[in-house]
Amino acid sequence: MNSMNRRSALLAGLGVAGAGALAACSGSSSTPALISPSGPAVTAADKKRTKTGRTHALTLTAAQAMVDLGAGITARTWTFSGRLPGKAVRVSTGDTLAATLSNQLPNQATTSIHWHGIALRNDMDGAPPATQSAVRAGRNFTYRFTADAPGTYFFHPHVGVQLDRGLYAPLIVEDPREPLSYDEEWVVVLDDWLDGVTGTPDEAFAELRQGMGGMHMGEFMLMGARSPLLGGDAGDVRYPHHLINGRVPADPDVLRTKPGKRVRLRLINAGGDTAYRVALGGHRLTLTHTDGFPIRHQQVDAVLIGMGERYDALVTLDDGVFPLVALAEGKNATGMALVRTGSGGPPKPTTRPKELDGKIMTASELRAADDVRLTPKRTDQVHRIELTGGMMTYNWAVNGKRFDMNNPAADPITVEEGRRVRLDFVNGTTMWHPMHLHGHTYQLGSGGPRKDTAIVLPRRTLSVFFDADNPGQWMLHCHNAYHGEAGMMALVAYQS
Ligand code: C2O
Ligand code: CU
């Protein structure tokens, strides 16, 4: 019996059926059953979360809209409630969010919302078909969960390459005992943009998946994007625009305050295929958080942010007008917003402050803050996660296997609740990959920063640690929207 048939037989034997089949077995008959996304273990873990009892109810309508990117550029795209980025959702630590997704997308498109970086209960993770079935056109689904760790997060669909449309928005979990002091807080969302300008993300993906061996090189495939910081090939996709808070550099978002004010920047990379090097002209940044979690403060001139990563930084502002620039790493293009505290003409839209070439620290050089460092403990389980594939046939995968959306639990990476787990990301490819784990915030190395998305450079290995304390079935994937969709995804599943 081949493994496919044996698996089906096992599923049938267990009486499990349908998409999102929640307690599947893998091909090996010795593999134990998996914890179901809405099972008792998930509910028990959720009970342990500290809750304020407050609930924030809101509706997010996913629908087609015309958006104004500035400078006379408009684009037909998909957004949440007509805005780009979507309106930031703010809750306080321990609050419950009750967010109703209303799917009004065209073409019978199914969708979902994934709450990127939040350690929430598994059945609210919005990752079809593993944790729910995708929300059909014309239908609603209410996500109800408690966010019990403060920080900078965001949300986006987890279906196809919808992330590369306009369907994204910040999610800020405020700390009622915020230890940092600052006068203002600005959320800065970075995004590479093509939707409704040169085509759609689906068209881009269709072209990419033909591979370099394919007959035609069209509008979307980008060759020769090089970045020393990223260890070589920087990206696959050509974007006509790079946006900060939904605006092009020629008509930028303007962030205003008074000179001398101390500002907290919450930087979010919502891009599909672009890492950004971010700097504020005339200023240094003090990095305070990676992916929502505090680090030992570190002064830098610029910060490199992969897709799905977030960094928080403090900066005390001078008097004048300053460009906040996001250099599309290796792509020779920039996004820009303006920081205005005084008078003066704006810098050119193509300006590149010298800070971009100043001191940059990569995540592996940062240290977790004392209160969020994992307590030293013996590692119980180790998994080798090989990142495989390439541009030739666009066969991006994990451990040589393209993820099978029809069988998400076919070949899970299993963990046991209560264990200290190490994942070794072994990148055998010639490209970097921002590797994202749902439902957990791992730690880089023994005392590195806590993160849920980390850049793994080509030909390198990165080891990350986490405590298996959030039972369920969790996606692990490259946050390059096109690599993930091509198959560089896996399922980390708790065994029961
Ligand atoms: Cu932000 Cu699985 O994604
Ligand atoms: Cu990748």
Side-chain angles (χ1 to χ4, degrees):
M1 201 191 277
N2 68 34
S3 66
M4 191 61 204
N5 289 337
R6 186 167 47 177
R7 212 192 71 84
S8 318
L10 272 169
L11 284 175
L14 288 166
V16 175
L22 304 176
C25 289
S26 82
S28 151
S29 52
S30 62
T31 305
L34 305 179
I35 281 177
S36 145
S38 54
V42 171
T43 301
D46 194 48
K47 281 222 174 73
K48 290 186 205 144
R49 294 194 169 94
T50 309
K51 302 187 172 75
T52 60
R54 269 193 309 266
T55 297
H56 300 257
L58 57 103
T59 299
L60 296 161
T61 304
Q64 186 165 279
M66 281 297 278
V67 295
D68 177 6
L69 307 180
I73 304 163
T74 56
R76 185 184 304 281
T77 184
W78 298 356
T79 65
F80 288 121
S81 307
R83 300 177 43 149
L84 183 76
K87 186 175 190 289
V89 171
R90 283 181 181 270
V91 298
S92 189
T93 308
D95 288 358
T96 295
L97 187 65
T100 299
L101 164 62
S102 166
N103 180 1
Q104 304 295 331
L105 293 174
N107 316 328
Q108 296 301 308
T110 64
T111 192
S112 75
I113 298 179
H114 168 58
W115 310 90
H116 180 117
I118 303 279
L120 40 51
R121 48 174 303 144
N122 189 224
D123 53 358
M124 295 292 125
D125 192 46
T131 65
Q132 69 172 112
S133 37
V135 180
R136 299 218 304 267
R139 299 292 186 82
N140 290 354
F141 183 92
T142 298
Y143 293 91
R144 182 182 293 274
F145 60 89
T146 304
D148 68 348
T152 303
Y153 303 92
F154 74 123
F155 58 90
H156 60 77
H158 220 279
V159 171
V161 288
Q162 291 179 8
L163 161 65
D164 217 14
R165 305 238 183 197
L167 292 163
Y168 59 81
L171 171 58
I172 309 300
V173 182
E174 290 171 347
D175 188 344
R177 291 186 302 270
E178 176 59 56
L180 296 181
S181 61
Y182 43 87
D183 305 303
E184 309 263 357
E185 183 194 306
W186 294 334
V187 181
V188 175
V189 188
L190 317 171
D191 191 24
D192 44 16
W193 192 270
L194 63 81
D195 194 28
V197 178
T198 51
T200 66
D202 291 314
E203 289 163 358
F205 184 61
E207 181 189 312
L208 291 171
R209 70 187 312 180
Q210 295 173 16
M212 278 168 26
M215 286 294 284
H216 84 265
M217 279 267 290
E219 188 71 56
F220 305 103
M221 192 186 286
L222 177 67
M223 299 304 301
R226 310 291 300 174
S227 158
L229 270 182
L230 294 171
D233 189 352
D236 303 345
V237 182
R238 179 179 294 122
Y239 289 93
H241 301 297
H242 295 277
L243 310 180
I244 296 187
N245 292 343
R247 311 288 296 177
V248 295
D251 195 353
D253 190 26
V254 182
L255 305 159
R256 287 189 170 82
T257 187
K258 297 206 172 64
K261 292 291 186 198
R262 192 167 153 94
V263 176
R264 178 185 195 159
L265 301 175
R266 295 183 185 265
L267 305 164
I268 301 169
N269 184 347
D273 175 75
T274 309
Y276 290 101
R277 198 193 306 186
V278 179
L280 176 60
H283 295 79
R284 304 195 85 195
L285 305 172
T286 301
L287 299 179
T288 63
H289 293 74
T290 55
D291 296 354
F293 278 58
I295 53 171
R296 290 200 190 152
H297 291 189
Q298 197 55 247
Q299 274 226 333
V300 296
D301 293 306
V303 57
L304 178 70
I305 314 180
M307 296 81 81
E309 289 190 290
R310 290 90 62 213
Y311 280 86
D312 289 25
L314 288 174
V315 57
T316 302
L317 296 171
D318 268 341
D319 190 348
V321 187
F322 309 96
L324 177 63
V325 174
L327 173 68
E329 193 59 38
K331 295 186 175 181
N332 195 24
T334 52
M336 186 182 80
L338 283 189
V339 171
R340 181 179 281 283
T341 62
S343 56
K348 283 215 218 61
T350 51
T351 191
R352 293 195 189 183
K354 66 174 191 327
E355 285 79 7
L356 287 171
D357 296 306
K359 179 179 171 189
I360 304 179
M361 289 180 83
T362 60
S364 44
E365 297 169 281
L366 301 171
R367 310 297 291 167
D370 293 346
D371 52 332
V372 299
R373 190 175 316 114
L374 292 183
T375 50
K377 198 180 155 197
R378 188 174 45 91
T379 301
D380 304 303
Q381 296 183 293
V382 178
H383 288 286
R384 185 181 164 91
I385 313 292
E386 270 185 63
L387 312 180
T388 58
M391 290 295 288
M392 215 51 210
T393 56
Y394 219 72
N395 58 341
W396 302 111
V398 170
N399 295 331
K401 272 167 273 176
R402 289 188 187 200
F403 187 69
D404 181 359
M405 276 294 172
N406 298 315
N407 261 324
D411 191 14
I413 295 156
T414 54
V415 299
E416 257 178 77
E417 190 170 2
R419 301 302 173 114
R420 172 70 52 89
V421 181
R422 187 178 99 212
L423 302 178
D424 294 335
F425 296 119
V426 182
N427 185 354
T429 77
T430 58
M431 259 190 100
W432 70 287
H433 304 283
M435 293 304 296
H436 174 49
L437 173 63
H438 288 204
H440 303 76
T441 301
Y442 51 62
Q443 175 174 290
L444 271 53
S446 56
R450 298 289 299 276
K451 297 192 97 300
D452 51 66
T453 311
I455 292 174
V456 187
L457 294 173
R459 308 280 182 220
R460 299 284 192 80
T461 294
L462 178 71
S463 293
V464 304
F465 296 82
F466 67 92
D467 285 325
D469 58 3
N470 195 14
Q473 304 185 21
W474 303 100
M475 303 304 301
L476 169 69
H477 64 94
C478 177
H479 218 277
N480 180 309
Y482 299 89
H483 292 189
E485 185 60 13
M488 192 179 268
M489 284 210 181
L491 189 76
V492 171
Y494 283 62
Q495 32 189 84
S496 58

